Amino acid sequence: MSAHQPRIGVVGTGSIGRAHLNAYRRAGVDPVAVADVDPAAVEAVAAEFGATAYTDIAAMLADGDLDAISVCTPPSTHQALTVRALEAKVAVLCEKPMARTLDECELMIKAAHVNRTLLTVGFCHRFQPEIEAIKAAIAEGRIGTVLTFRNRFSGPLDGVESTWFSQPAISGGGVLMDTCVHSVDLFRYLLGEVDQVRALTATTATSRGPALEVEDSAVLSLQSADGVLGVIEASWRTAPGEAVVTVSGTHGRLQLDYATMRLTEVAVDGTESVVEVTGEDRFTRQARHFLSCVAGTEQPRVTPADGARAIAVLAEATASAGARG
């Protein structure tokens, strides 16, 4: 990497691509290159950020002299784009899910190893200050022995039937791949490796939209290697939305409500107190961390193996959902 500002590119100009572009800017680095297959979209975004526009990643890698890129495209393209960049010795922050299948993940991991180039995955919730506070509290034994975990990420994604999210060949799955991939990683980050997982999934025609080719709602039950039990709920069709993480132990409970970004601790006697947490938003903190990893001053908090493991857990969950009787 250059001795001065790193040269960063972003592939994909949708909402998550813009989140990465803005995060790099807040982290003090203006991206120099933006790529997207939509010429009009990429020209507009490039002009907004003062970057060079490309409609082809090969051209961007050939003349961008880049140190690192964020891959913020649909899952079906993650493996090919990531491998292309790694072969060019360009570090990659790949958005979740890492890929559609474990085989695709393994190809990405191999490319990172062979080319000795940094690869990490966008599990941004690991960088949420409140999640870090929960992890620290668990380690300190503040709520005793942790026994259960509950996470619900849900909310109406109206019009999803008209997007690639509902097309399995592109997305690799429905709400499991889109939402529960974060939840599985959160469980692993806070409580350790997943030992068992089961799932029930459904898609239902309602006033909010038709039944989909993929699941629009899912419930997972899982258990850590240490015996902690977890429940993960997700839906694109329920309203109002809810985003909550709750960890319960023998001597208390911690709960984060993403709607208010309020972290509360409930003691054995029922006394509730707010845990004061400060810090930048998770995307900015993720960007800062990635830039430090590119500079060689930090080790990645999310490894390629973490990205692949989440996909493996979801594959097991999907298989269990299909096994009836």
Side-chain angles (χ1 to χ4, degrees), residues 29-110:
V29 174
D30 287 320
V32 298
V34 185
D36 197 288
V37 292
D38 183 333
V42 74
E43 288 290 351
V45 172
E48 179 183 343
F49 286 88
T52 303
Y54 297 90
T55 54
D56 175 54
I57 190 176
M60 185 175 83
L61 293 171
D63 64 36
D65 188 27
L66 299 174
D67 296 299
I69 65 168
S70 282
V71 172
C72 301
T73 53
S76 58
T77 64
H78 285 185
Q79 181 248 313
L81 293 172
T82 296
V83 169
R84 193 74 177 263
L86 293 170
E87 289 176 344
K89 302 294 195 288
V90 173
V92 177
L93 166 55
C94 181
E95 254 304 325
K96 63 80 191 171
M98 182 174 177
R100 296 170 299 177
T101 66
L102 192 55
D103 285 345
E104 288 180 343
C105 292
E106 293 296 341
L107 289 171
M108 297 161 74
I109 291 171
K110 181 180 179 181

Side-chain angles (χ1 to χ4, degrees), residues 191-251:
L191 302 167
E193 192 52 83
V194 176
D195 183 57
Q196 297 184 67
V197 64
R198 298 288 184 273
L200 292 172
T201 61
T203 182
T204 308
T206 68
S207 60
R208 287 207 168 271
L212 307 174
E213 288 185 63
V214 295
E215 74 284 350
D216 60 46
S217 302
V219 177
L220 279 67
S221 58
L222 56 172
Q223 186 171 29
S224 77
D226 291 334
V228 180
L229 300 176
V231 174
I232 292 169
E233 306 167 39
S235 180
W236 286 335
R237 296 300 200 192
T238 56
E242 185 181 16
V244 177
V245 173
T246 306
V247 181
S248 300
T250 54
H251 291 81

Side-chain angles (χ1 to χ4, degrees), residues 92-98 119-124 286 302-304 307:
V92 177
L93 166 55
C94 181
E95 254 304 325
K96 63 80 191 171
M98 182 174 177
L119 170 61
T120 187
V121 180
F123 286 138
C124 59
Q286 176 180 255
V302 182
T303 67

